[in-house]
Amino acid sequence: KYKTRAEIMEPKASTVVRKRKPGGKDDRAGLNSPNDISKSAVPKAMTARSTILTFACCAVALVLLKWATSSPPKTYCHKDDPKNDIDITSWQPPDDPRPIPPGSWGAKLTTPAKLEKLRDMGQLPVLPSGVPKVIHQTWPSRDVTGVAPHYRKWSASWGACHPDWLHVLWDDCDIRRLFAKHLPDFLPVYDAYPNPVQRADIFRCLVLKEYGGLYADMDYECSGGVDGPTGLNPPANSPQGVCKVFIVNSPDPEHDGVLQNAFMASVPEHPYWTAVFDLAVERRSTLSGRIWGEIPIQNTGPGLVSDAYTMLPEGEVKKGVCGLNNTEFSGQALGQAPNAIHRNAGSWCACRFPAINWSCWKKCKEKKKTYVPSMYRDLTRYKRSIDRGDKLSDKDQATWDQYGHLFGSYYEKYGEFEDI
């Protein structure tokens, strides 16, 4: 049946037809003109809903971004082969005056399986203080082809200083196996850490609790040795003779806490480490810790080991935890120390979410500009202010008076420092 012209032109029931009154008024809702529709309640409600929807979408996007940029533990790991050693004699610079003796323990980065085997056989040498002669370091994998030259040099320096110490390299797979075997109840907390640096932080506490020995960051260089009377082997009749846990004092107590976890040593099974893990669980259970992971410094880093120490009740356990002089075992600001030097390369900076950890991201960005002692940066800033005729603050002036004579040697070694 064909429609007539009138039927075709007749509007459908769903079509809205506006009719004008003689005075130009609209017959719907008393609107004067179509432009007045923006003033009605309907668009306002729509605007409110759109705003809420936008915020909800942004929140979901932030959570997804946080999840996507975190690095969950690997589910597939290599077999821990005791024979999978890495020769590091080639990591030494050719002009190093302390060549690593060939065939010594210090000439290789060995595996946790070999450490376990030697411990079970009772063949690990121990210092008189009770600290085993074992150096622990960590890297994401045993594929070390991408290790930067400066990290190679610093890691090899431990073999040169202590060729009779076992040098163990732990990768991400080894670390997760360590928790699964020795602290399975903590494994859900370990897996939930959003940043790789947090898992590396808490690892060093467990490896010292289980095996003892010395843990040193990959940006720590051995300059003279750590088993002397002011280090890990104090005389038994001295006040430090009761020390069983050794942690370097922080060069920045206001920011990091009284202790710094980049260089720590311990006897096995010291109760201090139990207090550290109890505090780590408590801090991870907070709302901010569950959602954003907080700043690693406080959750798993120097703040954790510092606060665990200060919270210990007075007694034998607390007396057994001793701080090492940072001018001898860190030298972080000056870039020099007689026993061990923290080069502070800033590799821990993994602020993958700058929208949340802006201050961390900014600090990490500054750290990665160049590898020079922080004191050189400060001295450069002071000198430029003096050259401009500006007056230094009392604190800066005191620092310049004490260390200003080092500026020339820093300049010769590192050149012009532009990134202030």
Side-chain angles (χ1 to χ4, degrees):
K1 180 182 178 181
Y2 296 97
K3 293 183 179 181
T4 64
R5 181 177 180 84
E7 290 175 335
I8 295 175
M9 298 301 294
E10 182 180 358
K12 295 181 181 179
S14 60
T15 305
V16 178
V17 179
R18 291 185 178 182
K19 297 181 178 180
R20 295 285 182 179
K21 293 184 178 181
K25 302 290 185 180
D26 197 304
D27 65 345
R28 297 186 308 120
L31 299 179
N32 292 328
S33 68
N35 295 332
D36 289 339
I37 194 169
S38 62
K39 301 177 182 179
S40 67
V42 175
K44 288 183 179 179
M46 292 178 62
T47 302
R49 286 197 297 269
S50 300
T51 303
I52 294 173
L53 182 60
T54 301
F55 277 111
C57 291
C58 290
V60 172
L62 290 177
V63 172
L64 291 176
L65 179 62
K66 184 69 175 177
W67 171 79
T69 54
S70 63
S71 299
K74 297 178 181 179
T75 56
Y76 173 78
C77 286
H78 59 79
K79 183 180 178 181
D80 190 4
D81 188 351
K83 300 179 181 179
N84 193 15
D85 292 342
I86 301 172
D87 192 325
I88 59 172
T89 54
S90 61
W91 288 13
Q92 275 194 300
D95 57 347
D96 195 317
R98 308 167 302 173
I100 302 176
S104 66
W105 274 359
K108 295 180 179 180
L109 291 175
T110 193
T111 64
K114 186 172 182 179
L115 167 66
E116 185 92 12
K117 181 179 179 181
L118 291 173
R119 186 186 69 164
D120 294 344
M121 296 172 60
Q123 295 182 359
L124 282 181
V126 179
L127 292 173
S129 63
V131 176
K133 292 185 176 182
V134 182
I135 301 166
H136 305 278
Q137 292 192 300
T138 180
W139 195 254
S141 73
R142 297 198 73 81
D143 181 6
V144 293
T145 55
V147 178
H150 47 273
Y151 285 122
R152 291 171 179 256
K153 172 187 173 183
W154 299 333
S155 183
S157 68
W158 293 101
C161 282
H162 301 292
D164 58 335
W165 287 44
L166 192 69
H167 197 171
V168 184
L169 182 69
W170 298 75
D171 66 13
D172 292 349
C173 291
D174 298 324
I175 293 173
R176 197 171 190 282
R177 273 195 290 256
L178 176 72
F179 276 91
K181 181 177 181 179
H182 295 289
L183 202 62
D185 291 343
F186 192 83
L187 199 56
V189 179
Y190 172 85
D191 288 341
Y193 284 128
N195 293 319
V197 65
Q198 292 174 295
R199 294 189 281 275
D201 277 341
I202 206 67
F203 147 73
R204 63 196 70 179
C205 300
L206 181 58
V207 78
L208 293 180
K209 178 180 182 295
E210 291 299 323
Y211 296 97
L214 166 69
Y215 171 84
D217 274 349
M218 287 291 281
D219 60 355
Y220 239 99
E221 180 179 6
C222 185
S223 53
V226 298
D227 56 355
T230 61
L232 310 185
N233 195 24
N237 58 355
S238 69
Q240 290 75 32
V242 298
C243 297
K244 299 301 178 183
V245 177
F246 304 83
I247 306 178
V248 68
N249 291 325
S250 172
D252 188 5
E254 295 182 1
H255 181 255
D256 296 339
V258 295
L259 303 173
Q260 191 176 64
N261 68 339
F263 183 94
M264 305 188 295
S266 176
V267 300
E269 299 296 340
H270 194 274
Y272 163 71
W273 299 113
T274 302
V276 170
F277 279 98
D278 289 343
L279 184 58
V281 172
E282 178 183 337
R283 292 194 170 175
R284 184 59 189 167
S285 65
T286 61
L287 179 62
S288 59
R290 287 199 308 269
I291 296 178
W292 301 121
E294 271 298 336
I295 299 177
I297 288 177
Q298 298 303 324
N299 258 16
T300 57
L304 177 69
V305 296
S306 298
D307 293 345
Y309 168 74
T310 56
M311 292 178 183
L312 285 174
E314 296 297 332
E316 293 300 318
V317 175
K318 191 167 187 177
K319 288 181 181 179
V321 182
C322 303
L324 296 174
N325 191 321
N326 62 60
T327 60
E328 295 184 33
F329 292 92
S330 174
Q332 181 171 318
L334 299 177
Q336 56 189 20
N339 297 314
I341 307 171
H342 189 198
R343 295 300 183 181
N344 199 24
S347 59
W348 67 272
C349 291
C351 305
R352 300 171 181 270
F353 208 32
I356 301 301
N357 292 334
W358 172 256
S359 59
C360 176
W361 177 82
K362 184 177 180 183
K363 182 178 180 180
C364 293
K365 185 178 179 182
E366 292 175 353
K367 277 178 175 286
K368 293 181 178 180
K369 286 180 180 179
T370 184
Y371 299 129
V372 299
S374 57
M375 180 60 71
Y376 182 34
R377 179 193 62 217
D378 295 337
L379 292 179
T380 302
R381 187 171 65 249
Y382 302 154
K383 187 175 186 305
R384 290 177 180 176
S385 297
I386 294 172
D387 293 343
R388 290 193 303 266
D390 299 338
K391 180 177 176 57
L392 298 177
S393 66
D394 293 341
K395 181 180 179 180
D396 292 347
Q397 185 64 51
T399 304
W400 175 259
D401 293 340
Q402 184 176 1
Y403 299 107
H405 66 281
L406 298 175
F407 179 81
S409 60
Y410 282 142
Y411 185 86
E412 292 180 2
K413 184 173 183 179
Y414 299 105
E416 183 71 16
F417 188 22
E418 297 292 346
D419 297 322
I420 299 299

